[in-house]
């Protein structure tokens, strides 16, 4: 009889452990079927201005229509953005700034200079337009043309005595 009593107590104890264990295991999954959640949102196409702050300024105009441009690109989004500019690949973390000075030789009549900005596997693909001042570019060309005029005058003066000597031989 004692054996049957202990076996019955053991069976009740195992049943209790099973019921407690199964109630704990299923209590978290019940919430999936009982509770309800809702969300609302709007999908908007992000533009470059939403992701990057781009600033390009002309630092100087040098002779022969060479210009120096400072380019600053800041990542203002919450995600890291891989970009390419002027054949350079940069990985911009959030709030990180890329700053570089570029040297370019342009046409002396140019009104603008363009840099192609590519990012997010061509999701961003546009030109950064840097306005130029043609009057300053022409001044650098004028300095160059003055040098050419001086060189031409020097060549003419050197050729003039030779021409005079050849004219004397012809007579």
């Amino acid at each position: 009889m004692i054996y049957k009593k202990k076996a019955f107590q053991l069976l009740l104890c195992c049943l209790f452990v099973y019921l407690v264990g199964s109630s704990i295991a299923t209590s978290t999954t019940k919430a999936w079927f009982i509770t309800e959640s809702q969300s609302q949102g709007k999908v908007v196409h992000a533009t470059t201005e939403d992701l990057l702050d781009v600033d390009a300024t002309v630092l100087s105009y040098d002779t022969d229509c060479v210009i120096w441009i400072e380019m600053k690109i800041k990542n203002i989004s919450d995600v890291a953005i891989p970009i390419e500019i002027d054949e350079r690949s940069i990985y911009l973390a959030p709030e990180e700034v890329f700053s570089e000075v570029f040297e370019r030789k342009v046409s002396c009549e140019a009104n603008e200079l363009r840099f192609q900005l590519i990012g997010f596997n061509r999701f961003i693909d546009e030109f950064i337009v840097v306005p130029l001042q043609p009057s300053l570019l022409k001044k650098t060309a004028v300095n160059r043309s003055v040098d050419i005029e001086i060189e031409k005058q020097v060549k003419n003066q050197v050729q003039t005595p030779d021409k005079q000597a050849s004219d004397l031989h012809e007579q």
Side-chain angles (χ1 to χ4, degrees):
M1 185 86 174
I2 295 175
Y3 179 71
K4 287 184 179 182
K5 190 176 181 183
K6 286 197 177 202
F8 183 70
Q9 286 177 349
L10 182 63
L11 182 66
L12 283 179
C13 186
C14 288
L15 182 64
F16 178 74
V17 169
Y18 172 76
L19 290 175
V20 169
S22 65
S23 69
I24 290 173
T26 60
S27 67
T28 57
T29 59
K30 289 180 186 175
W32 293 348
F33 304 110
I34 297 172
T35 61
E36 180 179 316
S37 64
Q38 294 180 353
S39 65
Q40 294 179 352
K42 186 190 267 188
V43 177
V44 179
H45 294 290
T47 62
T48 304
E49 291 79 22
D50 297 332
L51 303 172
L52 300 171
D53 182 25
V54 179
D55 182 35
T57 55
V58 177
L59 296 177
S60 68
Y61 295 87
D62 286 343
T63 57
D64 267 351
C65 300
V66 174
I67 57 174
W68 293 83
I69 299 166
E70 181 180 28
M71 183 82 60
K72 290 182 182 177
I73 302 173
K74 181 178 182 181
N75 181 357
I76 57 174
S77 70
D78 295 333
V79 295
I81 300 176
I83 62 169
E84 292 177 31
I85 187 163
D86 199 43
E87 299 178 3
R88 289 196 56 203
S89 296
I90 304 111
Y91 191 78
L92 287 178
E95 300 299 319
E96 185 178 359
V97 177
F98 165 74
S99 181
E100 182 87 19
V101 176
F102 296 98
E103 175 188 10
R104 290 285 184 274
K105 179 168 176 45
V106 296
S107 167
C108 294
E109 283 100 30
N111 293 324
E112 63 185 26
L113 180 62
R114 294 175 175 235
F115 289 89
Q116 187 172 16
L117 176 65
I118 300 172
F120 276 138
N121 293 329
R122 296 206 177 263
F123 175 76
I124 299 171
D125 188 0
E126 61 183 55
F127 286 99
I128 300 170
V129 179
V130 182
L132 303 176
Q133 295 180 0
S135 61
L136 293 175
L137 280 172
K138 288 178 184 176
K139 284 182 183 177
T140 65
V142 168
N143 291 341
R144 182 173 174 254
S145 65
V146 168
D147 294 339
I148 292 172
E149 289 298 322
I150 292 171
E151 288 176 10
K152 285 182 183 177
Q153 289 176 359
V154 168
K155 285 181 182 177
N156 286 339
Q157 288 175 356
V158 169
Q159 288 177 356
T160 305
D162 292 339
K163 272 190 170 180
Q164 291 173 353
S166 66
D167 289 341
L168 288 174
H169 289 289
E170 288 178 3
Q171 293 176 356

